[in-house]
């Protein structure tokens, strides 16, 4: 995720993240089914294979930033706090910008907010997004005087849920989910993008912003050949980014580069996700959820072909490594040399990349009452995600 924001201080991290832990250092996570917490290899964290209630999954994360700004989770089993509530699988990809605080906050709160609903629906998912947004903005308000830069931190938020034979996709930002669907006539697997992206590089997004802000001729600005909202940020929807949501956070002591010359009377960015709901078809083979760091280097069809033509085990890691090889090729360097570059400096070559591949078993999906062992796993980079003391 690209933004001009800078990371919040390590002091703030100690205040607001006392219970966060690095899942990439061999610590036990909350995975209750014994699937294991994944493995680390330098800046790479991966969980090559596991089972969710509707099939198999594979996860991988590569860190590029000094502090990992991508977060992700997979929850499979109960989707409600009620014992009689729906069962299914939840996938979340949270691509932070300006720092890791918002993406970590979402990782800790969004699924919990979703489980407060008694049933599963597009409205329930939207409510969970907006509740998480309000909770984070409340945190910004509490920390405003001591740590105002938290107002400049935000995160994209992509969620996929399989429940009762339906697939729900909710997205705010520019992460992406792509479906691999088998075409019976040709026996080929076709890539179908299911998420709507909210990035000012798209004319449709710029037009939406202009319609929402008819009196603001500078709502989108072309800056260094990149379209940005108010000349500051590429995404038009996110969780966090309080400085572009509430004018009370767009003033001193916030750094001057984030402050707008005039106060605004309506939020510039939105946390409302775009929603997509469809029935899972027997021809639907798998879903690829990934932050935009993957899609910078692979097309939808290229990613689908890789998943279709290779073993399930380790497929997320294979996608990440293919993207890294493409990143190295663009810089006319060897992949082996790219791997030697440390976090922080690595960001000049590629972004943090998170990938979750969800394989779909039609027999399991059709048994909506199927209650396998619950799974809860979070992916993280190979190095500590916290600021050093």
């Amino acid at each position: 995720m690209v933004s001009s924001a800078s990371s919040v201080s390590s002091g703030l991290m100690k205040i607001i993240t006392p219970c966060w832990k690095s899942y990439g250092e061999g610590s036990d996570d909350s995975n209750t089914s014994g699937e294991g917490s994944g493995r680390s290899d330098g800046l790479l964290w991966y969980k090559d294979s596991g089972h969710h209630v509707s099939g198999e999954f594979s996860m991988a994360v590569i860190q590029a930033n000094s502090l990992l700004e991508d977060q992700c989770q997979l929850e499979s089993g109960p989707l409600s706090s009620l014992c009689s509530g729906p069962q299914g699988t939840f996938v979340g990809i949270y691509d932070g910008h300006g720092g890791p605080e918002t993406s970590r906050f979402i990782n800790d709160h969004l699924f919990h907010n979703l489980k407060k609903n008694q049933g599963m629906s597009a409205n329930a998912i939207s409510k969970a997004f907006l509740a998480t947004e309000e909770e984070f903005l409340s945190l910004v308000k509490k920390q405003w005087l001591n740590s105002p830069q938290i107002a400049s931190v935000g995160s994209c938020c992509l969620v996929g849920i399989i429940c009762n034979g339906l697939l729900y996709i909710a997205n705010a930002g520019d992460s992406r989910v792509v479906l691999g669907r088998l075409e019976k006539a040709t026996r080929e697997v076709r890539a179908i993008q299911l998420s709507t992206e909210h990035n000012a590089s798209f004319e449709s997004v710029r037009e939406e912003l202009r319609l929402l802000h008819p009196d603001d001729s500078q709502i989108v600005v072309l800056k260094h050949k990149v379209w940005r909202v108010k000349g500051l940020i590429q995404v038009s929807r996110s969780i966090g980014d309080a400085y572009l949501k509430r004018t009370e956070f767009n003033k001193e002591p916030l750094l001057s580069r984030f402050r707008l010359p005039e106060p605004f009377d309506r939020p510039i960015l939105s946390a409302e996700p775009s929603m997509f709901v469809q029935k899972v078809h027997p021809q639907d083979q798998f879903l690829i959820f990934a932050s935009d760091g993957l899609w910078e280097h692979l097309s939808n069809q290229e990613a689908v072909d890789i998943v279709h033509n290779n073993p399930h085990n380790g497929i997320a890691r294979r996608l990440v490594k293919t993207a890294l090889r493409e990143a190295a090729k663009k810089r006319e360097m060897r992949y082996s040399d790219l791997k030697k570059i440390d976090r922080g400096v690595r960001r000049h070559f590629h972004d943090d990349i998170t990938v979750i591949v969800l394989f779909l078993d039609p027999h399991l999906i059709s048994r909506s009452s199927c209650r396998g062992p619950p799974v809860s796993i979070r992916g993280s980079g190979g190095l500590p995600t916290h600021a050093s003391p």
Side-chain angles (χ1 to χ4, degrees):
M1 175 57 229
V2 180
S3 170
S4 58
S6 59
S7 294
V8 179
S9 68
S10 60
L12 176 62
M13 293 295 299
K14 295 175 183 176
I15 295 172
I16 70 173
T17 63
C19 60
W20 282 330
K21 60 184 178 180
S22 172
Y23 288 86
E25 292 189 294
S27 57
D28 291 334
D29 59 21
S30 56
N31 184 355
T32 57
S33 71
E35 289 281 2
S37 58
R39 297 181 178 181
S40 298
D41 178 10
L43 296 174
L44 176 69
W45 176 93
Y46 58 95
K47 168 70 175 167
D48 277 345
S49 182
H51 291 86
H52 64 105
V53 295
S54 301
E56 298 175 76
F57 71 86
S58 181
M59 303 170 69
V61 181
I62 187 72
Q63 180 175 350
N65 287 288
S66 297
L67 292 174
L68 180 70
E69 296 183 346
D70 275 14
Q71 296 289 306
C72 67
Q73 67 185 123
L74 184 145
E75 311 284 345
S76 191
L79 298 178
S80 169
S81 56
L82 297 176
C83 294
S84 59
Q87 298 272 321
T89 296
F90 171 103
V91 169
I93 303 282
Y94 317 126
D95 182 359
H97 46 264
E101 293 74 24
T102 312
S103 58
R104 293 179 181 177
F105 187 91
I106 299 169
N107 218 6
D108 281 345
H109 293 83
L110 178 62
F111 183 64
H112 174 73
N113 285 331
L114 178 69
K115 289 184 73 174
K116 292 177 182 178
N117 295 287
Q118 296 182 7
M120 185 55 61
S121 66
N123 183 58
I125 298 168
S126 292
K127 282 173 60 178
F129 269 64
L130 298 178
T132 305
E133 162 89 341
E134 287 304 311
E135 289 170 355
F136 187 76
L137 294 184
S138 294
L139 176 63
V140 173
K141 189 169 186 176
K142 290 177 184 176
Q143 300 296 334
W144 171 246
L145 292 178
N146 293 326
S147 304
Q149 290 318 115
I150 193 174
S152 66
V153 181
S155 180
C156 297
C157 186
L158 170 64
V159 163
I161 298 170
I162 299 173
C163 181
N164 293 327
L166 293 177
L167 170 63
Y168 299 84
I169 301 295
N171 192 43
D174 59 5
S175 296
R176 185 184 305 173
V177 56
V178 174
L179 168 69
R181 175 175 288 172
L182 179 66
E183 299 291 346
K184 287 186 176 180
T186 62
R187 305 305 299 173
E188 295 179 348
V189 175
R190 179 165 60 98
I192 304 173
Q193 183 172 326
L194 301 182
S195 54
T196 300
E197 294 171 36
H198 312 109
N199 188 302
S201 62
F202 296 108
E203 174 58 36
S204 59
V205 172
R206 299 196 295 274
E207 186 59 30
E208 178 184 59
L209 287 165
R210 292 178 184 125
L211 289 172
L212 290 171
H213 304 273
D215 301 326
D216 189 349
S217 62
Q218 299 295 303
I219 188 63
V220 284
V221 178
L222 188 61
K223 192 172 182 181
H224 305 303
K225 298 182 179 181
V226 176
W227 285 102
R228 294 180 183 272
V229 183
K230 300 301 292 182
L232 294 170
I233 190 170
Q234 287 183 257
V235 294
S236 62
R237 301 194 197 189
S238 69
I239 290 177
D241 295 307
Y243 74 117
L244 293 174
K245 304 277 183 66
R246 297 180 182 175
T247 192
E248 64 186 283
F249 300 127
N250 199 286
K251 60 185 180 181
E252 292 185 338
L254 186 70
L255 291 176
S256 60
R257 68 173 176 272
F258 301 116
R259 299 202 301 266
L260 301 177
E262 300 290 339
F264 47 92
D265 57 5
R266 69 180 70 178
I268 294 169
L269 303 186
S270 169
E272 182 76 37
S274 59
M275 293 295 311
F276 175 84
V277 184
Q278 75 171 24
K279 187 177 180 180
V280 180
H281 298 282
Q283 295 81 17
D284 296 343
Q285 304 291 293
F286 53 81
L287 295 157
I288 306 171
F289 296 85
S291 55
D292 70 326
L294 179 80
W295 308 112
E296 288 174 7
H297 303 292
L298 295 178
S299 70
N300 293 351
Q301 191 62 53
E302 286 172 335
V304 163
D305 289 344
I306 290 168
V307 176
H308 176 56
N309 294 318
N310 289 283
H312 291 188
N313 187 54
I315 195 62
R317 184 157 50 117
R318 183 182 292 271
L319 284 168
V320 167
K321 289 188 174 183
T322 304
L324 296 184
R325 288 191 175 91
E326 289 299 314
K329 189 185 301 182
K330 290 173 184 176
R331 299 299 289 268
E332 298 182 340
M333 64 188 301
R334 293 179 299 185
Y335 171 62
S336 57
D337 290 331
L338 175 65
K339 289 200 299 182
K340 298 173 184 175
I341 300 173
D342 201 2
R343 57 179 178 160
V345 178
R346 181 79 82 90
R347 182 61 184 87
H348 297 291
F349 297 83
H350 65 83
D351 199 354
D352 294 335
I353 300 174
T354 297
V355 178
I356 298 178
V357 179
L358 212 62
F359 293 98
L360 306 175
D361 185 328
H363 301 293
L364 293 175
I365 292 172
S366 64
R367 298 190 317 210
S368 58
S369 61
C370 177
R371 292 174 179 263
V375 177
S376 178
I377 187 166
R378 300 186 188 185
S380 190
L383 287 171
T385 56
H386 305 308
S388 301

